[in-house]
């Protein structure tokens, strides 16, 4: 009787085993079909135009043209979109001295949006009849001269790219806008005692003598200094050590006295 029960038990389980194996086979087939379908879709995607860069949209540019920005990005129409690294592209863009910030993002299936912010031009340096932009970053653009300056920005003289110009621009960036707009020209005029000496011509007819390292700290008081001068009085304001004013009349008188003494 025990043997008969064991045989019946096994016979009853055979359909269940077949059913389990069938389910397992179907599951394996579904997985294989799914993998195969995914591979087909991936292949179709890479073969389709959707996988390749179609448009590069640019915004925020003023001095640079859209084509220049596209070239700086290193992106090429037709390359695979999945291969584009937004961060790397942004770093490539910021290598351009005109670009302050850059943001790269993908739009839709195969378009890229580039948004940049340029360094502002705070003035120009004239050389050989041409004008070279001086940027707020302290860099002078030596390869993009202009025939004429734009607007009423500062004019620089005797500067060249390097630490001195960077320090000078950093000082100017610290000044209030009304003080900056009152300056007409900044001249780098080093002396034996001060390698950072500068001279300024102001729009109101005065001149300023200063040193780069303390320029912003002292120049911010320029409006208050001028307000204390007699009406119509013009001259040189020395900001190197303290604050000292000498009128053009005094300068001329001292010059005449020196010449007279020399003649005698």
């Amino acid at each position: 009787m025990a043997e008969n029960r064991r045989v019946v038990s096994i016979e009853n389980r055979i359909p269940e085993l077949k059913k389990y194996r069938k389910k397992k086979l179907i599951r394996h087939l579904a997985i294989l079909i799914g993998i195969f379908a995914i591979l087909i879709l991936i292949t179709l995607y890479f073969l389709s135009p959707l996988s390749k860069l179609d448009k590069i949209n640019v915004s925020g540019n003023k001095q640079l043209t859209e084509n220049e920005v596209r070239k700086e990005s290193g992106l090429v129409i037709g390359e695979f979109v999945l291969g584009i690294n937004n961060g790397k592209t942004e770093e490539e863009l910021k290598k351009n001295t005109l670009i302050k910030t850059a943001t790269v993002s993908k739009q839709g299936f195969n378009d890229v949006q580039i948004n940049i912010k340029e360094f502002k031009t705070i003035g120009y340096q004239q050389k050989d009849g041409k004008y070279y932009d001086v940027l707020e970053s302290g860099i002078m653009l030596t390869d993009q001269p202009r025939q004429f300056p734009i607007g009423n920005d500062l004019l620089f003289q005797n500067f060249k790219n390097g630490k001195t110009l960077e320090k000078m621009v950093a000082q100017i960036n610290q000044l209030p806008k009304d003080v900056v707009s009152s300056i007409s020209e900044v001249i780098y005029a080093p002396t034996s005692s001060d390698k950072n000496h500068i001279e300024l011509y102001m729009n109101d007819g005065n001149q300023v003598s200063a040193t780069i390292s303390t320029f912003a700290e002292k120049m911010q008081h320029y409006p208050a200094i001028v307000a204390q001068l007699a009406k119509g009085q013009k001259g040189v304001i020395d900001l190197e050590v303290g604050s000292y004013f000498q009128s053009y009349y005094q300068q001329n008188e001292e010059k005449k006295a020196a010449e007279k003494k020399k003649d005698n």
Side-chain angles (χ1 to χ4, degrees), residues 66-77:
E66 290 187 10
N67 285 335
E68 286 173 331
V69 175
R70 293 187 184 103
K71 185 178 179 180
E72 292 293 333
S73 73
L75 299 178
V76 180
I77 297 296

Side-chain angles (χ1 to χ4, degrees), residues 63-122:
Q63 297 196 62
L64 291 169
T65 65
E66 290 187 10
N67 285 335
E68 286 173 331
V69 175
R70 293 187 184 103
K71 185 178 179 180
E72 292 293 333
S73 73
L75 299 178
V76 180
I77 297 296
E79 69 174 292
F80 287 113
V81 176
L82 291 178
I84 296 173
N85 185 314
N86 292 353
K88 185 178 179 181
T89 304
E90 290 168 359
E91 291 302 316
E92 285 296 318
L93 286 163
K94 287 188 285 187
K95 288 180 181 179
N96 187 293
T97 53
L98 268 171
I99 298 177
K100 187 175 184 178
T101 61
T103 303
V104 177
S105 58
K106 295 181 179 72
Q107 289 190 331
F109 285 102
N110 55 354
D111 292 349
V112 166
Q113 175 67 43
I114 297 176
N115 184 48
I116 67 168
K117 184 177 181 181
E118 298 174 343
F119 284 109
K120 295 179 182 178
T121 295
I122 66 166

Side-chain angles (χ1 to χ4, degrees), residues 37-183:
I38 291 171
L39 290 174
I40 291 175
L41 289 173
I42 291 173
T43 302
L44 290 174
Y45 169 74
F46 279 105
L47 291 175
S48 74
L50 292 176
S51 66
K52 297 174 183 178
L53 183 59
D54 182 47
K55 290 180 182 179
I56 304 172
N57 301 310
V58 177
S59 63
N61 58 305
K62 294 180 180 179
Q63 297 196 62
L64 291 169
T65 65
E66 290 187 10
N67 285 335
E68 286 173 331
V69 175
R70 293 187 184 103
K71 185 178 179 180
E72 292 293 333
S73 73
L75 299 178
V76 180
I77 297 296
E79 69 174 292
F80 287 113
V81 176
L82 291 178
I84 296 173
N85 185 314
N86 292 353
K88 185 178 179 181
T89 304
E90 290 168 359
E91 291 302 316
E92 285 296 318
L93 286 163
K94 287 188 285 187
K95 288 180 181 179
N96 187 293
T97 53
L98 268 171
I99 298 177
K100 187 175 184 178
T101 61
T103 303
V104 177
S105 58
K106 295 181 179 72
Q107 289 190 331
F109 285 102
N110 55 354
D111 292 349
V112 166
Q113 175 67 43
I114 297 176
N115 184 48
I116 67 168
K117 184 177 181 181
E118 298 174 343
F119 284 109
K120 295 179 182 178
T121 295
I122 66 166
Y124 303 90
Q125 176 154 290
Q126 184 182 18
K127 185 179 180 181
D128 300 328
K130 295 181 180 180
Y131 294 86
Y132 297 84
D133 290 58
V134 176
L135 305 179
E136 61 177 327
S137 60
I139 294 176
M140 179 164 48
L141 301 180
T142 57
D143 57 346
Q144 301 179 31
R146 301 177 184 272
Q147 294 299 320
F148 303 98
I150 299 175
N152 296 315
D153 289 324
L154 300 173
L155 291 178
F156 290 79
Q157 273 193 39
N158 304 332
F159 286 93
K160 59 184 180 181
N161 277 321
K163 293 295 182 182
T164 301
L165 180 58
E166 289 176 8
K167 290 177 182 177
M168 183 71 252
V169 171
Q171 292 287 316
I172 291 172
N173 288 339
Q174 295 177 47
L175 291 174
K177 289 183 179 180
D178 60 327
V179 175
V180 175
S181 63
S182 69
I183 304 171

